Amino acid sequence: METREETQGKTTMKKVLLILNCLILSIGNCGGPLIMRLYFIHGGKRIWLSAWLETGGWPIILIPLAFSYFHRRATDPTTKLFYMKPPLFIAAAIIGVITGLDDYLYAYGVARLPVSTSSLIIATQLAFTAGFAFLLVKQKFTSYSINAVVLLTVGAGVLAMHTGSDKPAHESSREYILGFIMTLVAAVLYGFILPLVELTYRKSRQEMNYTLVMEIQMIMCLLATVFCTVGMLINKDFQAIPREARNSELGEVKYYLVLVWSAIIWQCFFLGAIGVIFCASSLLSGILISVSLPATEILAVIFFQEKFQAEKGVALGLSLWGFVSYFYGEMKENKKKKLAAPETSMDPSNNPVGNV
C-alpha cells in the first residue's frame, strides 16, 4: 500500500508532466500550421509530403525512450525494452492509420486555405471531441467545462464571419470549397481520435505510465507515416522533392530546413496531445488545441500579413474566457476532492485495516 508521501509525489509528478505537455502541445499546435503554410505559399505543392511530415518525426521519440530504458536498467537489469503488449500495439496501430488519413485531410485544407480559415475550422473539433468523449469515455461535464466548450465554439463561429474574404486570389471557388470540406472532415476525425486514445488508455490491461504513453505515440506516428508513405509513392512525391527544392522560392537549403522543422514541430503537437490525455482528459486536450487558435491567428498576421479583423479580437477574448472558465472549474473540483479526502479516510468502511 502506498504511503501518503508516495501518493503526493505521484500527484506532483503528474502535474509537472501535465504542464510540460501543455507547453509542448501549444508549441506544436501554433507552429505546425504556420510552417506547413510557409511551405505551400513559397511554391510547395506536395500534399502527401506535408501529411507525411506531420508524423514523420516519430524517431525523435526513441531518444526519451532510450533514456527511460537505461534508467530502468540501472535499477532493474531484467527490465523489458518495451512495455507495450500486443493488444495495445494493435489498438495504437489502428489509431495510427486513422491519424494518417486525418493528416492528409488536414494538409489538403492548409494547401487551399489561409491559416486563419483552416485554424478556425479545426477549432470546431472541440465540439466533436466533447461529443465523442461523452459517448466513448462517459466524460463528466461541469457547468464550467460546458461554458468553456460553448465559448470556444462560439469564438470559432465568430471567426467564420470573415471567411468569405479570405479566399486566395489564385484559388478557384471549387478548390476553396473542397479545402473547406476536407478541413472540416479532419476536425471531425480528430475529434474522434482524442477520446479514442483516452478509451485505449482505460481499456488497456496494462498499468499506464508516461513511458508507455510515448511508446503508443511512436507506434501511432509510425503507422500514420507508413500510410502517408504509400500515398507519396503512388503520387511520386519522392522523385519530385529534389526538383521542388531547386525551384522553391525559399531556396534549396531553406526548403529542406522547413521540411525538417515541420517534422519536429508536428511531433511536439502529437506527443503533447496524447500526454495531456494521459495526465488529464481528451476534453482538456481538445480545449488546449482550440484555445491556441487566436495565437495562431496573431502569428499568421505577423508572418504572412493576413488581415486581423475585429472578429479575431472578439474570438481571442472568448477563447481566453473559455480557457479561464475551464481551469477555474478544475480548481474548484480539486478543492472539493481535497476537502472530501479526510472524511473518506476517517470512514471505517473505506479503511482496509478497519475491515480486517
Side-chain angles (χ1 to χ4, degrees):
M1 187 175 178
E2 289 185 352
T3 64
R4 186 176 179 182
E5 288 75 15
E6 288 175 337
T7 303
Q8 287 179 341
K10 285 187 176 181
T11 303
T12 302
M13 180 56 69
K14 205 161 190 178
K15 286 180 179 177
V16 171
L17 280 174
L18 177 59
I19 294 169
L20 179 62
N21 279 283
C22 286
L23 290 172
I24 294 172
L25 174 58
S26 298
I27 291 168
N29 196 41
C30 291
L34 294 170
I35 200 164
M36 182 181 283
R37 186 61 183 168
L38 179 67
Y39 164 79
F40 285 116
I41 64 176
H42 287 288
K45 302 292 183 185
R46 319 310 296 188
I47 294 173
W48 276 111
L49 170 61
S50 293
W52 187 92
L53 289 170
E54 289 182 57
T55 52
W58 65 267
I60 295 170
I61 302 296
L62 291 171
I63 298 171
L65 282 176
F67 277 112
S68 176
Y69 171 70
F70 287 117
H71 176 71
R72 298 197 312 271
R73 191 179 174 84
T75 55
D76 181 13
T78 62
T79 188
K80 293 181 178 179
L81 182 60
F82 290 105
Y83 280 125
M84 191 179 293
K85 293 179 181 177
L88 196 54
F89 175 88
I90 293 169
I94 292 170
I95 297 172
V97 173
I98 299 171
T99 300
L101 173 60
D102 189 63
D103 289 345
Y104 175 78
L105 293 170
Y106 178 73
Y108 191 98
V110 173
R112 299 288 182 262
L113 306 174
V115 173
S116 56
T117 306
S118 60
S119 294
L120 72 90
I121 300 169
I122 286 297
T124 61
Q125 61 82 27
L126 178 60
F128 301 115
T129 299
F132 285 122
F134 177 76
L135 294 173
L136 295 178
V137 296
K138 303 296 185 276
Q139 173 71 50
K140 292 181 180 179
F141 290 94
T142 65
S143 58
Y144 296 100
S145 60
I146 292 171
N147 186 49
V149 171
V150 171
L151 287 169
L152 290 165
T153 305
V154 170
V158 169
L159 285 172
M161 293 168 62
H162 77 274
T163 55
S165 60
D166 269 0
K167 186 172 74 68
H170 63 279
E171 295 284 356
S172 67
S173 295
R174 181 181 176 278
E175 288 176 327
Y176 182 86
I177 293 170
L178 189 57
F180 195 99
I181 293 170
M182 289 285 219
T183 309
L184 183 60
V185 175
V188 176
L189 197 55
Y190 202 67
F192 172 68
I193 289 171
L194 292 177
L196 189 60
V197 170
E198 185 175 356
L199 181 66
T200 301
Y201 289 168
R202 293 188 180 187
K203 295 294 183 181
S204 67
R205 297 178 181 178
Q206 294 183 244
E207 183 181 352
M208 294 301 300
N209 55 48
Y210 198 67
T211 299
L212 189 53
V213 168
M214 288 191 291
E215 290 179 11
I216 293 170
Q217 160 71 3
M218 185 180 70
I219 297 303
M220 282 172 55
C221 287
L222 172 60
L223 268 292
T225 304
V226 170
F227 179 89
C228 293
T229 300
V230 174
M232 287 183 69
L233 289 169
I234 295 171
N235 204 43
K236 298 181 179 179
D237 279 10
F238 288 106
Q239 296 94 315
I241 291 173
R243 182 176 65 254
E244 191 172 70
R246 288 192 298 270
N247 298 329
S248 174
E249 296 173 8
L250 293 167
E252 194 167 356
V253 175
K254 287 183 180 178
Y255 173 88
Y256 285 115
L257 281 174
V258 166
L259 299 191
V260 171
W261 277 105
S262 182
I264 293 171
I265 291 172
W266 277 117
Q267 199 57 218
C268 289
F269 170 80
F270 284 103
L271 180 59
I274 71 164
V276 170
I277 294 171
F278 168 69
C279 296
S281 66
S282 57
L283 180 61
L284 177 58
S285 189
I287 284 174
L288 287 171
I289 291 170
S290 294
V291 83
S292 63
L293 165 64
T296 307
E297 294 271 350
I298 292 168
L299 290 171
V301 170
I302 295 170
F303 292 114
F304 301 140
Q305 286 76 52
E306 292 186 7
K307 296 177 181 179
F308 191 86
Q309 292 97 329
E311 294 91 342
K312 294 182 181 180
V314 173
L316 175 60
L318 289 171
S319 295
L320 292 174
W321 184 8
F323 188 69
V324 170
S325 174
Y326 179 84
F327 276 98
Y328 179 72
E330 285 298 296
M331 287 171 63
K332 288 197 71 173
E333 286 297 311
N334 289 333
K335 193 173 181 180
K336 284 181 183 178
K337 287 177 183 177
K338 285 180 180 179
L339 290 171
E343 295 176 9
T344 304
S345 61
M346 291 173 63
D347 186 349
S349 65
N350 292 316
N351 191 337
V353 178
N355 289 334
V356 174

